[in-house]
């Protein structure tokens, strides 16, 4: 093994270690997920910024991106209020009343 080959192997191992510690792929994914979650500046940033964020999110989290794209928007459906039982205290079972007591 020549000195140049040993130097190249050492440099590649060092670069791999540093990239593993720095985790640029995970950092890019976290940034993209944060941008997608908030409807803040990424939505107002224009088409280039939206395309960059969407591409980064698709590359770093393909399963999540696929799930988001398959989910229907809630705009067309009515969201109903939860049904409340006015007699909730009378309908409790005895075992649930005694669970918290010692």
């Amino acid at each position: 093994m020549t000195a140049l080959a040993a130097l190249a192997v050492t440099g590649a191992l060092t670069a791999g270690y540093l990239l593993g510690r720095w985790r640029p792929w995970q950092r890019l994914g976290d940034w993209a997920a944060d941008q997608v979650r908030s409807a803040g500046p990424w939505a107002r940033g224009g088409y280039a910024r939206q395309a960059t964020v969407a591409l980064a999110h698709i590359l770093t989290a393909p399963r999540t991106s696929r799930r988001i794209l398959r989910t229907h928007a809630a705009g067309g459906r009515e969201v109903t209020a939860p049904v409340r039982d006015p007699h909730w205290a009378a309908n409790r079972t005895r075992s649930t009343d005694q669970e918290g007591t010692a």
Side-chain angles (χ1 to χ4, degrees):
M1 185 183 240
T2 64
L4 184 59
L7 185 62
V9 169
T10 304
L13 288 173
T14 302
Y17 172 77
L18 292 175
L19 284 175
R21 297 287 291 168
W22 185 45
R23 299 179 186 164
W25 195 254
Q26 184 177 5
R27 289 176 185 255
L28 177 66
D30 291 345
W31 173 80
D34 288 343
Q35 296 298 313
V36 169
R37 270 190 218 111
S38 70
W42 87 275
R44 295 187 305 263
Y47 292 120
R49 181 169 169 86
Q50 290 176 8
T52 303
V53 169
L55 181 63
H57 194 269
I58 288 170
L59 290 176
T60 57
R63 288 186 207 145
T64 305
S65 298
R66 192 176 311 120
R67 182 181 48 82
I68 289 171
L69 289 173
R70 287 183 179 175
T71 304
H72 296 289
R77 289 183 262 160
E78 290 285 325
V79 178
T80 60
V83 178
R84 299 191 50 91
D85 184 11
H87 305 292
W88 66 271
N91 293 336
R92 288 189 297 180
T93 61
R94 192 165 176 79
S95 64
T96 58
D97 289 342
Q98 295 175 354
E99 283 178 1
T101 58

